[in-house]
Short mmCIF file of all heavy atoms in Angstrom, two decimals:
data_model
loop_
_atom_site.label_atom_id
_atom_site.label_comp_id
_atom_site.label_asym_id
_atom_site.label_seq_id
_atom_site.Cartn_x
_atom_site.Cartn_y
_atom_site.Cartn_z
N ALA B 132 24.54 33.82 8.74
CA ALA B 132 23.85 32.54 8.49
C ALA B 132 23.77 32.26 6.99
O ALA B 132 23.98 31.13 6.54
CB ALA B 132 22.44 32.57 9.10
N GLY B 133 23.50 33.30 6.20
CA GLY B 133 23.42 33.14 4.75
C GLY B 133 24.71 32.60 4.16
O GLY B 133 24.70 31.66 3.37
N TYR B 134 25.84 33.22 4.57
CA TYR B 134 27.14 32.74 4.06
C TYR B 134 27.42 31.31 4.52
O TYR B 134 27.94 30.49 3.75
CB TYR B 134 28.28 33.66 4.53
CG TYR B 134 28.33 34.98 3.78
CD1 TYR B 134 28.32 36.19 4.47
CD2 TYR B 134 28.37 35.01 2.39
CE1 TYR B 134 28.36 37.40 3.79
CE2 TYR B 134 28.41 36.21 1.71
CZ TYR B 134 28.40 37.40 2.41
OH TYR B 134 28.43 38.60 1.74
N ALA B 135 27.10 31.01 5.78
CA ALA B 135 27.34 29.65 6.30
C ALA B 135 26.50 28.63 5.54
O ALA B 135 26.97 27.53 5.22
CB ALA B 135 27.04 29.60 7.80
N ASN B 136 25.25 28.98 5.24
CA ASN B 136 24.35 28.04 4.54
C ASN B 136 24.71 27.88 3.07
O ASN B 136 24.34 26.87 2.45
CB ASN B 136 22.89 28.52 4.65
CG ASN B 136 22.38 28.48 6.07
OD1 ASN B 136 22.88 27.72 6.90
ND2 ASN B 136 21.38 29.31 6.38
N LEU B 137 25.36 28.89 2.49
CA LEU B 137 25.70 28.81 1.07
C LEU B 137 26.61 27.61 0.78
O LEU B 137 26.45 26.93 -0.24
CB LEU B 137 26.39 30.11 0.64
CG LEU B 137 26.88 30.16 -0.82
CD1 LEU B 137 25.73 29.96 -1.80
CD2 LEU B 137 27.58 31.50 -1.11
N ARG B 138 27.53 27.33 1.69
CA ARG B 138 28.53 26.27 1.46
C ARG B 138 27.88 24.89 1.23
O ARG B 138 28.10 24.28 0.19
CB ARG B 138 29.51 26.25 2.64
CG ARG B 138 30.69 25.33 2.47
CD ARG B 138 31.59 25.43 3.71
NE ARG B 138 32.19 26.74 3.85
CZ ARG B 138 33.48 27.01 3.54
NH1 ARG B 138 34.25 26.04 3.11
NH2 ARG B 138 33.97 28.21 3.69
N PRO B 139 27.04 24.38 2.16
CA PRO B 139 26.41 23.07 1.89
C PRO B 139 25.50 23.10 0.66
O PRO B 139 25.36 22.08 -0.03
CB PRO B 139 25.61 22.77 3.17
CG PRO B 139 25.51 24.06 3.91
CD PRO B 139 26.72 24.86 3.52
N HIS B 140 24.89 24.25 0.37
CA HIS B 140 24.04 24.31 -0.82
C HIS B 140 24.88 24.18 -2.09
O HIS B 140 24.48 23.50 -3.05
CB HIS B 140 23.21 25.58 -0.84
CG HIS B 140 21.91 25.45 -0.11
ND1 HIS B 140 20.84 24.75 -0.62
CD2 HIS B 140 21.51 25.88 1.11
CE1 HIS B 140 19.83 24.77 0.24
NE2 HIS B 140 20.21 25.46 1.31
N LEU B 141 26.05 24.85 -2.14
CA LEU B 141 26.93 24.70 -3.31
C LEU B 141 27.41 23.26 -3.43
O LEU B 141 27.55 22.72 -4.53
CB LEU B 141 28.12 25.65 -3.21
CG LEU B 141 27.87 27.12 -3.57
CD1 LEU B 141 29.16 27.92 -3.44
CD2 LEU B 141 27.30 27.26 -4.99
N GLU B 142 27.66 22.63 -2.28
CA GLU B 142 28.09 21.22 -2.31
C GLU B 142 27.00 20.33 -2.88
O GLU B 142 27.27 19.39 -3.63
CB GLU B 142 28.48 20.75 -0.90
CG GLU B 142 29.88 21.19 -0.50
CD GLU B 142 30.16 21.02 0.99
OE1 GLU B 142 29.37 20.31 1.66
OE2 GLU B 142 31.14 21.61 1.45
N TYR B 143 25.75 20.61 -2.51
CA TYR B 143 24.64 19.79 -3.03
C TYR B 143 24.51 19.97 -4.53
O TYR B 143 24.35 18.99 -5.28
CB TYR B 143 23.34 20.17 -2.31
CG TYR B 143 22.19 19.24 -2.63
CD1 TYR B 143 22.31 17.86 -2.48
CD2 TYR B 143 20.97 19.75 -3.09
CE1 TYR B 143 21.25 17.01 -2.78
CE2 TYR B 143 19.90 18.91 -3.38
CZ TYR B 143 20.04 17.54 -3.23
OH TYR B 143 18.99 16.71 -3.53
N ILE B 144 24.60 21.23 -5.00
CA ILE B 144 24.54 21.48 -6.45
C ILE B 144 25.72 20.78 -7.14
O ILE B 144 25.55 20.15 -8.18
CB ILE B 144 24.58 23.01 -6.71
CG1 ILE B 144 23.28 23.65 -6.22
CG2 ILE B 144 24.79 23.30 -8.20
CD1 ILE B 144 23.30 25.17 -6.16
N GLY B 145 26.88 20.87 -6.54
CA GLY B 145 28.06 20.21 -7.11
C GLY B 145 27.87 18.70 -7.20
O GLY B 145 28.18 18.07 -8.21
N TRP B 146 27.30 18.12 -6.14
CA TRP B 146 27.07 16.68 -6.12
C TRP B 146 26.06 16.27 -7.20
O TRP B 146 26.27 15.29 -7.93
CB TRP B 146 26.57 16.26 -4.73
CG TRP B 146 26.24 14.80 -4.66
CD1 TRP B 146 27.12 13.76 -4.50
CD2 TRP B 146 24.94 14.20 -4.78
NE1 TRP B 146 26.44 12.57 -4.51
CE2 TRP B 146 25.11 12.80 -4.68
CE3 TRP B 146 23.65 14.71 -4.96
CZ2 TRP B 146 24.03 11.91 -4.75
CZ3 TRP B 146 22.58 13.82 -5.04
CH2 TRP B 146 22.78 12.45 -4.93
#
Side-chain angles (χ1 to χ4, degrees):
Chain B
Y134 285 126
N136 294 336
L137 177 59
R138 187 179 294 256
H140 273 286
L141 282 181
E142 280 166 14
Y143 188 53
I144 292 168
W146 177 80

